Amino acid sequence: MEMYNPPHPGEILKDIYMEPLNLTFSDVAKGIGVTQKALLELINKKISITPIIAIKLAKAFNTTPESWLSLQDQYDLWHAKKRAKISDIQIFVHSKDKIKKVKINSSKISA
């Protein structure tokens, strides 16, 4: 299910994990072994969750790395869909005997 403008994982980290636990940036940065600058960049949506950071956050907050990476993927995909230009993409589909090329221009489909 596609979410409308999903939050960046940094927002989730701050709002759902850090604030309720009264954790400072210094506490979390030191606790997961990153610099305060890197943590601030994550929270301010300047950088993305990497697999290594996802593993560290999962351990620190008793979650899973997959959940953090999924949040990042949802955020990235939603924003990419807003920027992607796909109006003249050529579509390839399988038919029973061969692959057909389908060209899409505006709202017309031709095979």
Side-chain angles (χ1 to χ4, degrees):
M1 175 197 235
E2 185 176 22
M3 186 182 284
Y4 177 75
N5 197 8
H8 187 276
E11 294 175 87
I12 300 291
L13 174 60
K14 181 176 174 256
D15 296 344
I16 295 179
Y17 293 95
M18 291 177 64
E19 287 178 354
L21 295 171
N22 293 316
L23 295 171
T24 66
F25 294 111
S26 178
D27 293 334
V28 175
K30 185 176 180 181
I32 66 171
V34 299
T35 65
Q36 286 187 42
K37 180 183 179 208
L39 183 62
L40 285 170
E41 287 178 342
L42 176 63
I43 288 171
N44 291 324
K45 302 186 261 183
K46 305 283 186 205
I47 63 172
S48 299
I49 294 275
T50 64
I52 295 294
I53 296 298
I55 291 166
K56 291 179 176 191
L57 289 172
K59 177 70 172 174
F61 294 105
N62 195 30
T63 60
T64 65
E66 293 83 3
S67 66
W68 291 103
L69 292 172
S70 177
L71 289 168
Q72 187 67 57
D73 284 346
Q74 290 172 33
Y75 178 84
D76 290 344
L77 185 57
W78 189 86
H79 287 278
K81 284 181 177 180
K82 299 299 173 199
R83 294 187 312 268
K85 295 179 177 143
I86 58 171
S87 59
D88 289 328
I89 297 296
Q90 187 171 358
I91 298 174
F92 303 96
V93 295
H94 285 277
S95 71
K96 195 171 191 178
D97 299 321
K98 60 183 179 179
I99 295 178
K100 291 182 180 179
K101 293 194 313 185
V102 179
K103 178 78 174 177
I104 296 190
N105 285 321
S106 302
S107 62
K108 297 179 183 176
I109 298 178
S110 60

